[in-house]
Amino acid sequence: MSQIANSGNQKDIDAGHGLPNKLGDNMNELAEYLGLTDEQYDELDIELHEDTGSSGEMVYSYWFNVPETASAEILQKTGWKVE
């Protein structure tokens, strides 16, 4: 997550503050939000995690780790880094 927040790209900063609720059938909207094609998003096989805070009752945001297997094309397109 720090890799995304440190990139300085507005969409990545927005992602650091919480991804929009795009679970379920709307994953293509999440791909669009991230600036990826549906195929690129599928290639990443991203697992979204919920940030429910200390109460665990309300979802405040979603987060994910950039997979080590992310292609150079996706990393260049998004500005993400795998460390």
Side-chain angles (χ1 to χ4, degrees):
M1 189 64 180
S2 64
Q3 296 165 356
I4 292 173
N6 289 333
S7 77
N9 293 326
Q10 185 59 49
K11 70 175 188 246
D12 297 335
I13 292 169
D14 292 343
H17 290 128
L19 293 171
N21 184 1
K22 301 293 183 187
L23 296 175
D25 296 331
N26 297 317
M27 286 304 196
N28 59 341
E29 292 179 33
L30 180 54
E32 183 178 329
Y33 177 81
L34 295 172
L36 302 171
T37 65
D38 290 342
E39 293 78 19
Q40 289 171 323
Y41 181 84
D42 290 341
E43 175 187 326
L44 287 173
D45 195 27
I46 290 175
E47 180 181 347
L48 290 178
H49 303 276
E50 294 180 346
D51 175 9
T52 57
S54 59
S55 70
E57 295 180 15
M58 181 176 151
V59 176
Y60 294 98
S61 62
Y62 296 90
W63 61 275
F64 64 90
N65 292 317
V66 177
E68 291 182 12
T69 57
S71 71
E73 177 186 8
I74 291 173
L75 295 176
Q76 182 179 6
K77 187 174 187 176
T78 60
W80 298 338
K81 295 179 186 174
V82 176
E83 296 181 11

